[in-house]
Amino acid sequence: MHRLVWVGALLLVVGQAAGKEKMIPLSAQDAEALRGKTVALTRHEPPSFMAMTAGKASFALFGAAAMASAGNELVRQNAVPDPAGLVRDQLGGALGQAFGAQLLPLDATATKAVKPAELARLHADADYVLDVRSGGWNYAYFATQWGRYWVGYSVQVTLVETASNRVVSNLACAANTINDGEPPTREALHADQARLLKHVTAALGARCVQLLGREQFRLTAAHMPVLPPALANTLRPGTAPATLTAATDTPAPAAEPLTDSGHVKVATPAVAADGDTSQAVQPVAVVEQAPVPAVAQPVAPAPAEPAEPAEPAPAATGSGGTNWRQWSTRGGL
């Protein structure tokens, strides 16, 4: 039963992002119009962190509530930062460097506004609003290795012109550690005030900065935020702080390009046919059609909570490169 819930949740996520095929990268005309203009920065409350264990997955909707409750408590007790802050700071700074945009102070309070018109009204004093909000974050067990876990994160970035309520640019990114090497145990993610979990979520956010900077805002290497070595390995924290620094005169290392092989795709919502730009921005994602271990492997019945399943021998899940899968931009699983 828990396997069906686990797979069903992933399929639901896939369905939410399907069918919104048009991405909105920043055009050369809009990039030129951005020069010297003011840009407001919004703040959002993070979505629930979904802590999926084999035991909780056995209880369907009750299990989902338990996952959110356990995950939110983990985030609260250990002060795990929402990676949206890292994404917002780095992309906002890059827009300032690349296009001369003038960034206004970050909103002091969180907003629930998501529609372009709502965001524009929120900051009528600014020329643009840069809205960055996390869509979902989680960890989940491997169905073939109950004691081992992967971590996922998604974020959506929207740039709105306040005078017209127009979405100038919109794209979302989803990243995970499914193929990033030997997966950690839940105990390892929780240990030392969730140090590893903090590192992994920051590293996934940094991946999204690189992808969104390149694909959404068409930043050159000279203006791309630099990915420090400390965040290069998602599953192994470095000694440097888990932050990104903006590039100055030194070109950034070339980021991994999107391929045309069908493994990586970008999907974003199209503007409504009737020109209504006040509609809510729909879920969008960067996708890798990677195989999910739960689909192909049989799984024994899950143990009851709170005991965790016995840990099988560890096994590597991939080469450790950048991997993108579809993920909800609204609120996790």
Side-chain angles (χ1 to χ4, degrees), residues 10 150 174-176 178 285-288 290 292 323-327:
L10 293 179
W150 58 270
N176 63 53
I178 284 180
V286 176
V287 183
E288 179 188 13
V292 179
N323 302 281
W324 308 96
R325 331 181 31 257
Q326 194 159 328
W327 195 258

Side-chain angles (χ1 to χ4, degrees), residues 86-87 91 153-155 157 172-175 202-214 216 244 286 322 324:
L86 181 151
V87 177
L91 288 180
Y153 174 69
S154 73
V155 61
V157 177
C173 167
L204 294 178
R207 285 186 186 178
C208 284
V209 167
Q210 296 288 304
L211 185 140
L212 294 170
R214 184 179 67 247
Q216 180 173 10
L244 290 173
V286 176
T322 301
W324 308 96

Side-chain angles (χ1 to χ4, degrees), residues 33-111:
L34 188 59
R35 296 189 181 279
K37 299 299 177 60
T38 55
V39 179
L41 304 173
T42 62
R43 182 197 300 269
H44 292 270
E45 293 292 343
S48 290
F49 187 97
M50 304 299 288
M52 178 179 282
T53 63
K56 291 184 179 67
S58 301
F59 297 99
L61 295 179
F62 294 103
M67 293 174 205
S69 177
N72 291 339
E73 186 67 10
L74 172 65
V75 168
R76 186 190 66 79
Q77 287 187 350
N78 297 284
V80 181
D82 180 1
L86 181 151
V87 177
R88 178 184 57 241
D89 292 346
Q90 297 307 313
L91 288 180
L95 292 182
Q97 288 193 9
F99 308 115
Q102 301 178 31
L103 303 182
L104 300 181
L106 175 66
D107 285 357
T109 59
T111 180

